[in-house]
Amino acid sequence: MEFKARLVSWNEIVDWCLSIRKEIVNSYSPEIIIALSRGGLVPGRLLSDYLWIKDLYTIKTEHWGITASKDATAKIREDPTIPVKNRSVLIVDDITDTGKSMKLASDFIKKLGPEEVKTATMLHIDHSSFKPDYYATEVSNKEWTWFIFPWNIYEDVLRLLDKAMTGEHTEEEIITLLASNFDLNISRQLLQDLLSNFRQSGKVFRNNQKWRIIRTS
Ligand code: AMP
């Protein structure tokens, strides 16, 4: 197996965000949420609702350029003006893995003169160099997994197929490849939906019953 990947359900997202909310209401009163784009956008929006915080902003951090392969350095792509001065801030992301994105964002926001800054993620991998103040689930480094969030499924599965497919494969073969390379079990129906999108988007080619990735580089 190359590495483990798993599909995350919308129900899990809701459960994890509700569990973060539960911890926060007893200990912190943020006035503004900053969601890290793109992974923290949906959790940030849910927490904005669950915590009654209408002031929701985003900043973009980047370093996992492509699914399960990291760029060397994390960077903030924009330099936005966010009204955090003298206010209590909650920074939200989906997961802390290396922890670089959250560290970068939190250092960046701290320089803007907030009253207080706290951080929250749904998942926290225990090898992360940055530990969020609030997280719903801790994942052991030994169990390292690439989590396919429901908002990233097309991008992630295409990347996995790109890693696993060597030539032309039938749907059954693709399902087997995903299972053996990533311990990822996906239904035939889901695979067909994904392949249909990929095909319309010019990312895969179908020849009779076989599929091939269109690689541009
Ligand atoms: P980090 O390595 O903590 O800076 O993670 C940066 C971003 O990369 C996260 O906000 C996620 O969107 C994505 N990411 C990192 N590790 C994973 C993982 N194991 N599963 C899914 N997404 C991840």
Side-chain angles (χ1 to χ4, degrees):
M1 185 171 58
E2 200 168 333
F3 57 83
K4 195 170 151 61
R6 91 155 168 92
L7 293 172
V8 172
S9 71
W10 285 111
N11 283 345
E12 285 177 292
I13 301 296
V14 170
D15 287 349
W16 288 333
C17 288
L18 285 173
S19 124
I20 295 171
R21 178 219 168 248
K22 219 170 169 182
E23 272 190 75
I24 292 180
V25 283
N26 295 322
S27 60
Y28 187 45
S29 306
E31 298 166 277
I32 170 169
I33 291 179
I34 296 170
L36 302 193
S37 177
R38 293 179 291 158
L41 292 178
V42 176
R45 182 62 184 89
L46 292 176
L47 285 166
S48 148
D49 188 29
Y50 299 168
L51 292 163
W52 293 88
I53 301 169
K54 288 196 176 163
D55 243 351
L56 171 64
Y57 289 80
T58 67
I59 56 176
K60 186 160 165 66
T61 56
E62 252 178 21
H63 85 105
W64 289 81
I66 49 175
T67 304
S69 50
K70 343 173 199 185
D71 298 346
T73 49
K75 47 188 179 286
I76 292 196
R77 287 302 292 263
E78 286 124 49
D79 205 8
T81 313
I82 302 175
V84 297
K85 198 154 181 57
N86 300 325
R87 300 173 84 199
S88 301
V89 181
L90 180 69
I91 306 178
V92 178
D93 206 356
D94 47 3
I95 179 168
T96 29
D97 188 335
T98 65
K100 283 185 188 171
S101 303
M102 198 49 120
K103 167 90 171 75
L104 187 77
S106 126
D107 288 350
F108 174 79
I109 295 301
K110 280 179 183 157
K111 285 195 200 124
L112 303 178
E115 169 78 22
E116 198 171 358
V117 175
K118 295 212 177 207
T119 53
T121 58
M122 299 186 300
L123 299 162
H124 169 59
I125 302 200
D126 67 0
H127 66 185
S128 168
S129 61
F130 186 101
K131 187 167 184 178
D133 298 288
Y134 306 99
Y135 52 88
T137 298
E138 184 169 70
V139 179
S140 152
N141 177 34
K142 286 191 219 98
E143 301 284 307
W144 191 90
T145 298
W146 184 264
F147 293 91
I148 304 173
F149 297 110
W151 48 81
N152 218 53
I153 183 161
Y154 291 93
E155 196 176 306
D156 281 347
V157 173
L158 185 65
R159 284 293 162 198
L160 298 182
L161 292 184
D162 190 38
K163 285 176 189 285
M165 286 170 68
T166 48
E168 295 197 338
H169 302 278
T170 62
E171 288 167 11
E172 287 88 2
E173 285 166 358
I174 295 174
I175 287 172
T176 307
L177 281 173
L178 290 173
S180 58
N181 283 275
F182 310 110
D183 197 19
L184 177 67
N185 297 305
I186 72 171
S187 68
R188 182 76 179 255
Q189 180 61 57
L190 176 58
L191 180 67
Q192 285 173 347
D193 291 348
L194 295 168
L195 287 170
S196 151
N197 172 305
F198 298 156
R199 190 183 184 199
Q200 282 164 0
S201 313
K203 304 200 180 293
V204 298
F205 174 79
R206 190 172 74 180
N207 183 15
N208 294 322
Q209 298 306 309
K210 295 200 168 189
W211 295 87
R212 174 165 58 78
I213 297 258
I214 299 171
R215 293 185 171 95
T216 46
S217 56

